Amino acid sequence: MARTEEFGEELADFVRRIGELKAARSVPADDLPAVLDAALFELDHAVAKLWPWYEQLTAEGSGSGGRPAAADRQELQLLRAVFQRLPLPVALVDRECVVRRLNFAATNFTGVRAGYASGRPLTGLLAHADRAAFRSQVAAVARGEGDRGMTVHLQQSAHEPVRATLTGLRPGNEPRTTVLVLLQPADDGSAPVRHGEDAPVPDLAETSRHQVVVDLLDAMSRELLGAPAGDPSEVLRRAARVLHARFADWVVADAGAARLTRACVLGADDATARDIAAQDPATAPLVVEAARGGAPALLVRPEDPLALGPDASGAPVLVRADVTSLLCVPLIPSPGEPVQGVLTLFRSAGRPAFSMAEAQALDVMSRHIALAMGR
C-alpha cells in the first residue's frame, strides 16, 4: 500500500509539472531551450521510471517499504547548526519546492524572511520563465537521480543571473529525500553575501516613495477635475495614463461590472499590449472577482500564472507581461454603490513590489475615479 501511495504522489507531481511546462510555452525565445530541455527530461522520466513502476505494481501488487533507521540525534543537531551558520545562502525544500528551512544568508540574499518563506514554494521567488524548469530539476534530485545545477533569476533582480546548485539530502526525521538548494551569483560566485551587520541600512528611499505617491495623488486630482463630464471611458483612459510609467509598468482598465469591457491597456510592449487589450475581461478571474465582490487584491510574486487568464494569443497574462506584483482595484464611488469598472496594475522584474501604502493610495484614487466617471 505504501508503494502504491508513493506512486500516486509521484504521478500527481509529474502531471503538475507538465501543466507548468505547458503554461511556460509563452516565455521569450531565449528562454525556450531550458523549457524544452525540461519537457524532454520529464518525458524520459515517464518512460524510464513511471511506466515500469506501474507495470510492477500491476503485476505484483503493492509492495511494502521499510522506513530508514533514524539518524543519530547529535548528527541531526550538528546538521541544523551547520545549515543555519553556513555563510552561503542555502534552502531546504521538498520534492514540490516547498521551503522547509531557509538559513540566515539566504534570507538576506533573497530579501525574504525565513518565517514568510517557510511553507511556500521557493519558485515564488523566481522569474516565471525559470519556475517550471526549476521544479523539474528539484523533482529529479528528490527522486535520487543525481545532483543538478542551473541558472535562474530572482524576481527582485531579474537582470542578475543566479546559479542554483541542487543536491539530495536525507535527514533522519524525513520520510523522503529533500533537496538542498545553494544560491550564488552566476558570475564567479565571489560576490559577497550580505548578512548580519553588513545588511543595507534604511535610507531616504521610503521617504522618496512617499513623495512619489503624494505627487501621483496631485496629478490624478488635476486630471480628473479637467476630464469631460458624461464620458466615463475617457475619464478611465485619462486615469490610466496618469498611473502608467510613474506608478506601474502596465495599466489595464476595464469599464462596467456585470459585463466588463476593456477600455485601454498601457504597457511597455506594443504587441503584448494588443493581445491583452483583445482579451475578454470575463476570462480574468481576479478582474471578475473584483467586479463582483468589490474587493481589491494585492499580490506579490503571484504563484498562479492564470490568475489573470490568458491573453488573445493564449499565453498567460502574468507570464507574458513578466508580472512580479499586481494591484486589482474595483472602481466604487462609495461603499454599497455599483462598481463602475476595474483597474489592474502590474509591475515587472527590476521594480519594487507594490507596498501596502501604495495599495491604500490607489484605493483612494479609485473612489475619485469612480466619482468622476459618474459625473
Side-chain angles (χ1 to χ4, degrees):
M1 185 65 182
R3 290 197 61 202
T4 303
E5 293 178 353
E6 186 177 355
F7 175 77
E9 294 176 0
E10 184 68 35
L11 186 60
D13 290 341
F14 173 76
V15 172
R16 183 162 46 250
R17 293 194 301 271
I18 291 298
E20 292 176 349
L21 288 171
K22 288 181 180 179
R25 67 183 184 275
S26 60
V27 300
D30 293 341
D31 297 321
L32 282 177
V35 177
L36 178 60
D37 289 343
L40 294 174
F41 179 81
E42 292 295 345
L43 291 175
D44 181 69
H45 169 62
V47 173
K49 299 293 183 180
L50 294 181
W51 182 250
W53 194 351
Y54 171 76
E55 289 183 327
Q56 183 180 2
L57 290 176
T58 302
E60 302 177 2
S62 300
S64 60
R67 295 175 59 88
D72 182 79
R73 184 178 299 274
Q74 291 183 351
E75 291 184 358
L76 183 58
Q77 292 176 347
L78 177 62
L79 175 63
R80 290 176 177 173
V82 171
F83 177 85
Q84 289 296 341
R85 297 177 184 178
L86 196 67
L88 295 173
V90 290
L92 190 66
V93 302
D94 62 14
R95 63 196 305 164
E96 296 179 354
C97 291
V98 175
V99 175
R100 296 292 186 87
R101 293 179 182 273
L102 201 70
N103 76 343
F104 300 129
T107 60
N108 290 287
F109 186 80
T110 61
V112 177
R113 294 182 179 180
Y116 174 85
S118 297
R120 291 181 169 88
L122 186 64
T123 49
L125 306 179
L126 306 181
H128 283 282
D130 297 329
R131 293 181 181 182
F134 185 80
R135 285 184 186 274
S136 178
Q137 297 296 342
V138 167
V141 174
R143 290 193 299 264
E145 299 180 7
D147 300 343
R148 305 295 170 95
M150 63 181 298
T151 300
V152 296
H153 300 79
L154 298 178
Q155 281 196 354
Q156 66 177 10
S157 54
H159 301 296
E160 301 176 6
V162 174
R163 186 66 181 173
T165 304
L166 314 176
T167 185
L169 194 65
R170 193 68 175 267
N173 60 343
E174 293 286 345
R176 294 194 178 94
T177 301
T178 54
V179 178
L180 189 71
V181 182
L182 168 64
L183 302 172
Q184 289 181 292
D187 45 11
D188 58 0
S190 60
V193 177
R194 300 192 304 268
H195 61 91
E197 297 181 353
D198 296 330
V201 296
D203 54 13
L204 297 178
E206 189 62 31
T207 303
S208 299
R209 293 181 71 177
H210 175 71
Q211 186 60 45
V212 169
V213 171
V214 172
D215 293 341
L216 182 67
L217 287 169
D218 177 66
M220 181 64 74
S221 298
R222 287 186 283 107
E223 192 68 34
L224 294 179
L225 288 173
D231 191 351
S233 296
E234 177 60 22
V235 172
L236 196 52
R237 285 191 289 268
R238 289 192 176 205
R241 286 194 291 268
V242 174
L243 294 170
H244 181 234
R246 72 169 77 188
F247 190 67
D249 299 310
W250 291 82
V251 179
V252 179
D254 298 310
R259 177 57 182 170
L260 291 167
T261 58
R262 187 132 294 174
C264 71
V265 175
L266 301 176
D269 180 11
D270 293 339
T272 302
R274 285 193 297 270
D275 286 338
I276 296 178
Q279 179 197 27
D280 181 0
T283 64
L286 276 179
V287 174
V288 173
E289 182 179 354
R292 291 177 178 174
L298 167 60
L299 297 181
V300 178
R301 302 184 185 94
E303 181 67 22
D304 182 8
L306 292 175
L308 282 173
D311 62 16
S313 70
V317 171
L318 292 181
V319 177
R320 186 84 182 274
D322 193 19
V323 177
T324 56
S325 66
L326 69 87
L327 280 170
C328 188
V329 181
L331 304 177
I332 307 174
S334 61
E337 295 190 19
V339 176
Q340 302 290 326
V342 178
L343 272 177
T344 309
L345 279 60
F346 308 152
R347 281 183 179 171
S348 302
R351 189 165 184 172
F354 288 112
S355 66
M356 292 297 294
E358 290 172 324
Q360 177 63 30
L362 183 62
D363 184 57
V364 172
M365 286 185 283
S366 71
R367 293 196 293 272
H368 296 171
I369 297 169
L371 285 169
M373 292 175 66
R375 187 175 58 187

